[in-house]
């Protein structure tokens, strides 16, 4: 059974930093493409940053230069380093995985339960 467990969310002031982690289990991590998505007050789940099985990355324009996605295959863990946080980054952040690289589209097969990020001005 594939499981994704996020952690690292919290409350921070604008300009601050957080690092999210997603621990994966139940599959061969290195064969999968992974990503971070978020859902704020709107109905759509937005792609934030994704990484393919070769380590190639893609970021939403709204986070380029501020967020960094990375992974540790030995630990089956995906990270999202978030710097220069803004109030508009406030959302529930989800980790996702699939053998298919869906770029920033929320079509990944497996999802975690999410971790909340709140940024105050």
């Amino acid at each position: 059974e594939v499981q994704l467990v996020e952690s690292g969310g919290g409350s921070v002031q604008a300009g601050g930093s957080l690092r999210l982690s997603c621990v994966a289990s139940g599959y061969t991590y290195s064969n999968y493409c992974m990503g971070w998505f978020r859902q704020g007050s709107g109905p759509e789940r937005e792609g934030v940053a994704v990484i393919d099985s070769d380590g190639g990355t893609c970021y939403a324009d709204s986070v380029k230069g501020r967020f960094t996605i990375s992974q540790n295959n030995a630990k089956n863990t995906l990270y999202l380093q978030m710097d220069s946080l803004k109030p508009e980054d406030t959302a529930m952040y989800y980790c996702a995985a699939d053998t298919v690289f869906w770029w920033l589209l929320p079509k990944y097969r497996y999802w975690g339960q999410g971790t909340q990020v709140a940024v105050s001005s």
Side-chain angles (χ1 to χ4, degrees), residues 24-108:
S25 62
Y27 64 94
T28 304
Y29 181 87
S30 60
N31 292 344
Y32 275 63
C33 306
M34 306 287 294
W36 289 100
F37 291 75
R38 65 187 181 188
Q39 188 160 12
S41 56
E44 300 294 328
R45 191 166 288 188
E46 173 192 18
V48 175
V50 293
I51 186 166
D52 67 22
S53 56
D54 294 324
T57 59
C58 179
Y59 294 89
D61 288 342
S62 59
V63 306
K64 280 181 183 176
R66 300 189 298 121
F67 290 11
T68 303
I69 189 171
S70 62
Q71 60 188 356
N72 184 326
N73 287 349
K75 294 184 177 181
N76 289 359
T77 303
L78 180 73
Y79 303 100
L80 184 68
Q81 178 65 42
M82 305 187 295
D83 298 319
S84 302
L85 282 161
K86 303 176 181 180
E88 50 262 45
D89 294 318
T90 295
M92 183 72 80
Y93 282 72
Y94 297 91
C95 172
D98 201 332
T99 54
V100 177
F101 188 57
W102 294 103
W103 294 91
L104 293 170
L105 296 174
K107 294 185 175 183
Y108 290 76

Side-chain angles (χ1 to χ4, degrees), residues 11-16 85-90 118-121:
S11 297
V12 64
Q13 288 192 324
L85 282 161
K86 303 176 181 180
E88 50 262 45
D89 294 318
T90 295
V119 184
S120 58
S121 57

